[in-house]
Amino acid sequence: MSVLLVRPAFTAHARQSKAAFTKSLARTDVADSRFYGFAGNFFKGLYDLLNHQARIGNRMKKLFSSLFVVVCLAGDTGTCAITATNSAAPIIASQLTNISTRAFVQTGDNVIIGGFIVQGTAAKKLIVRAIGPELIPYGVPNVLADPTLELHDATGALIASNDNWQTTIIGGIITADQVAEIQNSGHAPTVATESAIIATLPPGNYTAVVRGVNNTVGVALVEAYDLSPSIPSPSILGNISTRGFVQTGDEVMIGGFIIQGTGPKRVIVRAIGPELIPYGIPDPLPDPTLELHDATGALIASNDDWQHTIIGGIITADQVAEIQNSGHAPTVATESAIIGNLPPGNYTAIVRGKNIIVGVALVEVYDIGMGAF
């Protein structure tokens, strides 16, 4: 069984190279990920708003509000986990919370793999979900009827699993029935065949893998909700990345994240493809493009080739030097990146292939606003 590698852990005093992080993530099985919304009401509101975005049309109306999860697409059955390095979470006015990625789950190397980091000095209580049929009312085609969910730690060890959230699978970190706790969390799936795990996780790197029962395929979401949010907090969800197979139309890669707090958060969002080649990932997306949308569905930034800044929206000046100095510059010119100082709210990152080309890619969000990464 392959394991998704999450980005290297970043600390308030130590920086891990982008190359090391990409290597970690690349050496795992991945699939197309899809992005799901923050909550039912939020989804509905965003859905209605997106319906009015003529430029985005049918693609955008299939997007859902963001959670703090990013998409990383790649295809490799190798297991390559990284050791987390964590230090005290900085006292900050705002932080990333909740992540979600929507994509087309296939089989083998092309399942959905979502990675996240718990950073700080205390454990973080989360609910991780794999959603499929719940997307049907929003007009999403070809949903994954019966998604399964695995949670792995930084060593690649399987620490929890679920297939059908109303039946708890005891094992690893799950020692008691979770059905009532999931129901009381406010994030219970609405369909019995969907999966969920509640876990209190110590600082470190984690990977959530979504597959279809009996190798079925379809569109699904991988999500992580922070059940113990507080600002400031002794621990935070930091940096997210998801690997999957980017297709066309409604089956592009969509990653969502939320900024909570009282002030803006500085982030870099990336779309990675050719950088996966040295790690043996088949069919990488040769030229990924990136769009950043706010909660209304408005396009607030875009990029195609990170060494060429597209001025517009929140981008008012050339970003090439800033991206280079961030420590997270892509290593291939055709890959894309955007830096933004984003006020609290919900955001969606969309990765497509230029000229409707398909392939494996990553969608990522790094918090660079704390001087920690």
Side-chain angles (χ1 to χ4, degrees):
M1 172 183 303
S2 18
V3 176
L4 167 70
L5 294 182
V6 295
R7 300 274 176 205
F10 300 93
T11 75
H13 304 290
R15 178 188 297 264
Q16 181 165 14
S17 71
K18 177 254 335 149
F21 174 68
T22 299
K23 179 177 181 179
S24 308
L25 178 62
R27 301 288 305 272
T28 66
D29 7 353
V30 200
D32 199 65
S33 40
R34 249 188 146 153
F35 160 66
Y36 189 64
F38 176 55
N41 290 337
F42 181 81
F43 277 124
K44 180 62 169 62
L46 178 59
Y47 177 78
D48 291 340
L49 287 167
L50 292 177
N51 269 335
H52 292 87
Q53 299 295 319
R55 182 181 180 281
I56 303 168
N58 289 333
R59 295 179 186 176
M60 280 299 296
K61 74 179 182 180
K62 305 298 193 320
L63 304 186
F64 301 99
S65 252
S66 42
L67 294 178
F68 184 43
V69 162
V70 171
V71 196
C72 298
L73 291 94
D76 176 15
T77 55
T79 297
C80 175
I82 54 179
T83 301
T85 301
N86 298 281
S87 64
I91 303 301
I92 50 177
S94 299
Q95 64 190 45
L96 292 169
T97 64
N98 304 87
I99 51 177
S100 179
T101 301
R102 191 186 77 181
F104 193 88
V105 176
Q106 300 183 58
T107 60
D109 294 329
N110 289 329
V111 295
I112 293 179
I113 302 173
F116 60 93
I117 296 172
V118 175
Q119 178 187 347
T121 59
K124 174 67 66 178
K125 187 176 184 181
L126 305 169
I127 182 170
V128 184
R129 314 193 320 162
I131 300 299
E134 200 167 318
L135 300 174
I136 294 173
Y138 302 101
V140 176
N142 305 317
V143 301
L144 187 63
D146 192 352
T148 68
L149 177 63
E150 295 177 358
L151 184 61
H152 297 259
D153 66 14
T155 72
L158 177 66
I159 59 174
S161 64
N162 185 253
D163 174 26
N164 303 337
W165 71 273
Q166 294 174 341
T167 302
T168 299
I169 297 176
I170 304 295
I173 62 173
I174 301 179
T175 59
D177 189 272
Q178 294 196 325
V179 175
E181 189 175 13
I182 291 171
Q183 290 172 324
N184 294 333
S185 72
H187 301 293
T190 61
V191 179
T193 58
E194 296 172 327
S195 300
I197 294 167
I198 288 181
T200 300
L201 302 174
N205 303 308
Y206 299 91
T207 299
V209 182
V210 177
R211 296 183 173 88
V213 169
N214 297 323
N215 288 322
T216 51
V217 301
V219 173
L221 301 176
V222 57
E223 311 178 299
Y225 291 82
D226 185 347
L227 297 182
S228 56
S230 63
I231 300 174
S233 172
S235 61
I236 60 173
L237 276 176
N239 305 83
I240 53 179
S241 181
T242 305
R243 192 186 75 184
F245 195 88
V246 176
Q247 301 190 65
T248 60
D250 294 327
E251 293 169 359
V252 294
M253 186 159 39
I254 303 169
F257 60 97
I258 294 174
I259 296 173
Q260 284 187 338
T262 59
K265 172 60 61 180
R266 185 168 177 256
V267 300
I268 183 169
V269 185
R270 311 195 323 160
I272 299 299
E275 202 167 315
L276 302 172
I277 294 173
Y279 306 106
I281 304 302
D283 304 318
L285 190 63
D287 192 350
T289 67
L290 178 63
E291 295 179 359
L292 183 62
H293 296 259
D294 65 16
T296 72
L299 177 66
I300 61 173
S302 64
N303 186 253
D304 174 25
D305 305 339
W306 71 274
Q307 293 174 344
H308 175 71
T309 300
I310 297 176
I311 304 295
I314 63 171
I315 301 179
T316 59
D318 189 273
Q319 294 197 327
V320 174
E322 190 176 12
I323 291 170
Q324 289 172 324
N325 294 333
S326 72
H328 302 294
T331 60
V332 179
T334 59
E335 296 172 325
S336 300
I338 293 168
I339 287 179
N341 289 318
L342 304 177
N346 305 303
Y347 298 90
T348 300
I350 304 175
V351 177
R352 296 183 173 91
K354 191 172 182 178
N355 298 324
I356 317 182
I357 295 173
V358 302
V360 173
L362 300 175
V363 58
E364 311 177 298
V365 176
Y366 291 83
D367 181 348
I368 56 174
M370 300 185 295
F373 308 139

